[in-house]
Amino acid sequence: MAKPEVTHEPVSIERPLWRALAGYRVMTLVYAVGVFLFHHHYHQAYGRPLVGAVYLAFLAVWTFATLRAVSSAERCTNRFLAMDSTVAIGGILLSPVADTHAQVSPTLPSVWVAGTVLAFAIRLGWRWAAGASLVVGVANVVEEVGLTRDTVHNVLLVTIASIGIGYVVEVARSTERALAEALRIEAAARERERLARDIHDGVLQVLAMVQRRGDALGGEAAELGRLAGEQEVALRNLVAGGIGRPPVATAPV
């Protein structure tokens, strides 16, 4: 009875990362909206609160509308990454317009912008993640009109995290490709073994039949049958790994 073929399900480190990214974008959206409402309601900090409210409403629509885009590398296209970066950087640069008195420390999108950089890391690797972090950092410097300790600290955190994740993803993809190649070679070897086993069985059956017919006919056919029997024994020893052992005579069937 033939053994059932063992199938190997592909394992991907990216799937949980994409799910985590989608959850991160939703949670940081809630955080950004909460920060805005807190400062507007309790401190009346925003000089133009309508600007912030309109942007955050758009950010909420964008976040939920693009959850599918951050579900896999195939759906997270370069066009989406460019548009997502525009939304993030636009929110950073729009923050001084809403916060005219510079009383609120976080920008309108706040830590939501890190999700854009992480998408670059998962989709394109650590080099693109470093570039995206640099662009976000420049936007923060422009928004702050100079370097501050908090700005440098936040940019460094996002950069280090995104580069680390991007590097891990690149290594994981390389490992997955090597594993897939090893599984392909293993499957090809199993198939060759199966074909060789079928061929050996067929040849053995033919030799056994020739030996039986030769013994039954006698004369020159008997000599041919004897030779076929010797070849059958040698082939059986070869298949069983008995190379180098003397042939074992078997009684004709």
Side-chain angles (χ1 to χ4, degrees):
M1 181 181 296
K3 294 182 179 180
E5 292 292 331
V6 179
T7 58
H8 300 273
E9 292 293 333
V11 179
S12 176
I13 193 176
E14 293 185 39
R15 294 175 189 166
L17 288 177
W18 286 115
R19 288 196 293 266
L21 177 60
Y24 176 86
R25 287 165 68 92
V26 172
M27 288 187 294
T28 52
L29 168 68
V30 173
Y31 175 79
V33 173
V35 168
F36 175 81
L37 293 177
F38 173 80
H39 284 285
H40 174 62
H41 181 73
Y42 290 101
H43 302 291
Q44 301 294 318
Y46 293 97
R48 296 188 180 95
L50 183 60
V51 174
V54 170
Y55 171 78
L56 288 173
F58 172 79
L59 185 65
V61 173
W62 174 259
T63 299
F64 286 104
T66 58
L67 285 179
R68 189 171 182 271
V70 292
S71 62
S72 68
E74 293 76 19
R75 293 170 179 167
C76 186
T77 62
N78 294 341
R79 180 183 178 185
F80 164 75
L81 289 175
M83 296 173 64
D84 203 52
S85 301
T86 302
V87 172
I89 295 170
I92 294 174
L93 299 179
L94 195 63
S95 297
V97 179
D99 182 18
T100 54
H101 305 297
Q103 295 183 14
V104 182
S105 177
T107 60
L108 287 173
S110 187
V111 292
W112 184 92
V113 299
T116 298
V117 178
L118 293 176
F120 273 94
I122 302 173
R123 173 68 175 82
L124 300 174
W126 70 269
R127 295 173 182 82
W128 282 90
S133 300
L134 178 62
V135 173
V136 170
V138 170
N140 277 282
V141 171
V142 172
E143 186 268 336
E144 290 284 348
V145 195
L147 284 173
T148 64
R149 177 184 294 180
D150 290 340
T151 300
V152 173
H153 180 263
N154 294 335
V155 171
L156 281 178
L157 282 180
V158 172
T159 302
I160 293 172
S162 60
I163 289 177
I165 292 175
Y167 180 76
V168 169
V169 170
E170 289 185 3
V171 172
R173 284 174 179 161
S174 177
T175 303
E176 289 172 7
R177 287 193 294 268
L179 176 60
E181 179 65 14
L183 293 176
R184 186 190 66 79
I185 294 174
E186 180 187 358
R190 286 200 305 266
E191 181 64 14
R192 285 196 299 270
E193 291 176 1
R194 185 188 67 79
L195 292 174
R197 191 164 52 248
D198 292 344
I199 292 172
H200 291 155
D201 292 344
V203 172
L204 290 173
Q205 291 176 6
V206 171
L207 291 175
M209 183 183 68
V210 171
Q211 182 183 15
R212 289 195 304 270
R213 295 293 295 171
D215 291 343
L217 294 174
E220 295 182 357
E223 178 64 15
L224 180 61
R226 184 185 66 79
L227 294 174
E230 292 177 356
Q231 295 302 315
E232 179 193 1
V233 172
L235 183 57
R236 287 187 184 277
N237 287 335
L238 180 63
V239 173
I243 301 175
R245 294 202 302 254
V248 179
T250 57
V253 181

